[in-house]
Amino acid sequence: MASPHSRRARATRRRKRRMAAVTHDLSTAEWAALQAAWGGCAYCGVTCTPLQKDCVLAISRGGRYTLLNVVPACRSCNASKCNDEVTGWLRRKRLDERAFLVRFAEVHAEVQAGLRASSFA
């Protein structure tokens, strides 16, 4: 167990306060739709590992868990990105920034259309 004054304990308390200060409105259905639409990690495309919710705009920078701010990411990409700005991180990792942004727009349009259609059914 970490000491209450350790770096890890302080970071945990800060994250807990940040998480409590904002409203997260990503539903389970929206998360499932995002995972299905991306078909793997949004950044590197890997499909054989469990995916985590990654905020495009990090919570520490004012982001929150919403349909327009969350993408599925493998553990490696999520840990590597940390709280960096997504386009700068993609450039540093030499990943295709333009392809990600185009796919990001396509996926969100597809997911929102699918969710609207299912709400009318």
Side-chain angles (χ1 to χ4, degrees):
M1 182 174 202
S3 164
H5 302 293
S6 71
R7 180 181 293 168
R8 174 180 251 161
R10 286 191 311 269
T12 300
R13 285 193 302 272
R14 277 194 311 270
R15 178 171 172 77
K16 197 173 197 176
R17 281 192 305 269
R18 280 193 306 265
M19 295 291 281
V22 295
T23 303
H24 303 287
D25 59 1
L26 183 70
S27 70
T28 306
E30 290 171 336
W31 173 238
L34 279 173
Q35 287 180 303
W38 279 100
C41 177
Y43 304 121
C44 68
V46 69
T47 59
C48 59
T49 63
L51 299 174
Q52 302 173 348
K53 294 175 189 167
D54 181 51
C55 290
V56 175
L57 176 63
I59 291 170
S60 64
R61 294 176 179 244
R64 57 194 186 109
Y65 289 119
T66 64
L67 182 62
L68 293 175
N69 192 43
V70 171
V71 295
C74 65
R75 182 178 180 187
S76 175
C77 286
N78 196 7
S80 172
K81 182 178 163 280
C82 191
N83 69 342
D84 288 346
E85 194 271 326
V86 71
T87 54
W89 175 78
L90 287 166
R91 280 185 226 124
R92 276 194 309 281
K93 295 295 278 185
R94 299 189 192 281
L95 296 170
D96 192 351
E97 176 187 356
R98 185 175 193 280
F100 168 77
L101 294 172
V102 168
R103 182 76 177 124
F104 182 78
E106 292 170 352
V107 164
H108 283 288
E110 175 186 328
V111 168
Q112 287 179 330
L115 291 172
R116 267 188 255 125
S118 68
S119 68
F120 290 121

